[in-house]
């Protein structure tokens, strides 16, 4: 054998079975739940014009300054692999003239050039949704509730919801003024990145993970203490409604989230699985983004959930089958190949997953293949059995063997695999 030569690029992952099947099940649950709340699926391109992300996520955001996979195509257009879902959805909403309000969800891979570690990848999947054209704080609460419901259906029980309000266009200027002057007087305690943010986008300092900056910001003026009456009201109704919905939450006054387009509500769903605090999902309101991207002034709120982090926060499924719903049909000599093949076709037509070996005439080899395929049962099409009008059955989980009449095989296998 030649030496193995290729590795996957840093920060990417393979989903091999059964992980790929678990991933599919999680996606299906999200689809089902989003559908229950009236969201419809949207699929947008994997890359967009770079400008779209600069305009939406913000020129000073980490995503834009450090993390985008940007390249020029052969016609010298600047394109970017999407680092997040919302901008593409808005672009598609406007380009396709969808009538508002509209609830949309998506499941897609996203790309960010960051330092890979457990739960942080350069390609990762998000399950996201956007309620476009809805202004009520009750929508914000319902979006959070849907996220919580999703995790609870997956038996992820250690979730905490953190919420905040970061105000609107009318309360921002006063906050900005106070924050900028605070940051100027505390410049020495801020990292070079945060110093650069003071004039460009001071709210972004709250994203900084640097412990020194965190200490400096402990006394900084906070958005939620500078809300105008309308934002205050929106925030209170949002919190009240979370309580009505039975969602446990904590107000986190420094939660601004890493993107520029949020206003009013921001939230994060955190899990303490694996000892560390990890953000499983988050989102917020973005009432100005659609207008900024050339559409009519339209309120909106959204959420994105990380699929990989969800998957490793899920408890190992104790009841997980070591065998899968598959029937492996074994033929004992060339003469039985044809009836075996016909049986496989009959089973498939009846909705029962079935397989047989085309390559290996030796029965011993076929049993080996049946075993490594993970099939739950082998059906043996043997000469003596067929003459007596029966199939041999070997349960590959228990090793138990018996016979089933030819005309009862479909019913028998259906009840065995629960199909
Ligand atoms: P964000 O788009 O940054 O608000 O992230 C929303 C969710 O996506 C996070 O809570 C994570 O679960 C997930 N996520 C974000 N970035 C990554 C990444 N680099 N690798 C894996 N999951 C991520």
């Amino acid at each position: 054998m030649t030496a193995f030569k290729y590795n996957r690029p840093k920060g990417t992952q393979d989903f091999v079975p059964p992980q790929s099947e678990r991933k599919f099940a999680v996606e299906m649950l999200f689809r089902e739940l989003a559908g229950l709340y009236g969201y419809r699926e949207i699929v947008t391109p994997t890359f967009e014009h770079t400008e779209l992300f600069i305009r939406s996520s913000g020129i000073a955001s980490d995503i834009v300054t450090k993390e985008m996979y940007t390249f020029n195509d052969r016609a010298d257009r600047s394109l970017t692999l999407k680092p997040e879902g919302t901008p593409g959805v808005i672009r598609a909403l406007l380009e396709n003239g969808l009538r508002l309000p509209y609830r949309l969800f998506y499941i897609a891979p996203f790309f960010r050039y960051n330092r890979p570690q457990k739960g942080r990848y350069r390609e990762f999947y998000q399950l996201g949704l956007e309620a476009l054209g809805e202004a009520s704080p009750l929508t914000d609460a319902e979006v959070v509730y849907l996220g919580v419901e999703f995790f609870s259906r997956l038996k992820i029980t250690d979730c905490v919801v953190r919420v905040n309000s970061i105000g609107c266009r009318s309360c921002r200027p006063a906050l900005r003024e106070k924050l900028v002057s605070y940051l100027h007087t505390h410049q020495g305690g801020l990292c070079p990145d945060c110093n650069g943010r003071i004039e460009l986008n001071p709210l972004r300092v709250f994203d900084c993970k640097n412990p020194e900056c965190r200490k400096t910001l402990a006394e900084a003026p906070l958005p939620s203490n500078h809300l105008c009456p309308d934002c205050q009201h929106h925030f209170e109704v949002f919190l009240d409604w979370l309580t009505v919905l039975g969602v446990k939450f904590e107000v986190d006054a420094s939660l601004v989230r890493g993107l520029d387009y949020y206003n009013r509500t921001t939230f994060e769903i955190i899990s303490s699985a694996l000892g560390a605090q990890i953000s499983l999902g988050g989102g917020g309101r973005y009432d100005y983004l659609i207008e900024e991207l050339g559409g009519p002034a339209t309120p909106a709120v959204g959420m994105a959930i990380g699929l990989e982090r969800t998957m490793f926060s899920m408890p190992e499924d104790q009841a997980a089958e070591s065998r899968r719903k598959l029937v492996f049909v074994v033929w004992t000599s060339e003469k039985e190949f044809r009836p075996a093949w016909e049986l496989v076709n009959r089973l498939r037509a009846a909705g029962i997953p079935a397989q047989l070996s085309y390559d290996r005439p030796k029965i011993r080899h076929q049993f080996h293949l049946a075993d490594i395929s993970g099939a739950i049962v082998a059906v043996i099409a043997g000469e003596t059995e067929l003459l007596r009008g029966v199939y041999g059955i070997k349960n590959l989980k228990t090793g138990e063997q018996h016979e089933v009449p030819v005309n009862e095989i479909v019913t028998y296998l259906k009840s065995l695999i629960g199909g």
Side-chain angles (χ1 to χ4, degrees), residues 272-315:
S272 53
L274 305 173
Q277 295 260 304
I278 53 158
S279 152
L280 294 179
R285 182 158 277 288
Y286 53 91
D287 294 333
Y288 309 126
L289 181 60
I290 299 173
E291 193 180 3
E292 267 161 36
L293 294 179
T298 308
V301 54
M303 167 174 69
I305 291 171
L307 179 106
E308 291 82 355
R309 294 188 193 180
T310 301
M311 282 178 67
F312 72 61
S313 305
M314 283 157 57

Side-chain angles (χ1 to χ4, degrees), residues 63 83-85 112 114 119-126 257-259 262 268-269 278-283 304-310:
I63 286 187
E84 55 136 344
R112 293 182 195 170
N114 48 27
R120 198 196 296 149
Y121 309 99
R122 290 181 174 173
E123 182 184 26
F124 58 97
Y125 286 79
Q126 279 186 346
R257 310 224 358 107
L259 302 161
Y262 288 120
E268 230 162 51
I269 304 178
I278 53 158
S279 152
L280 294 179
I305 291 171
L307 179 106
E308 291 82 355
R309 294 188 193 180
T310 301

Side-chain angles (χ1 to χ4, degrees), residues 345-359:
N345 284 341
R346 255 179 76 207
L347 295 179
R348 288 174 181 164
I352 301 171
Q355 205 180 314
L356 85 171
S357 170
Y358 292 121
D359 295 327

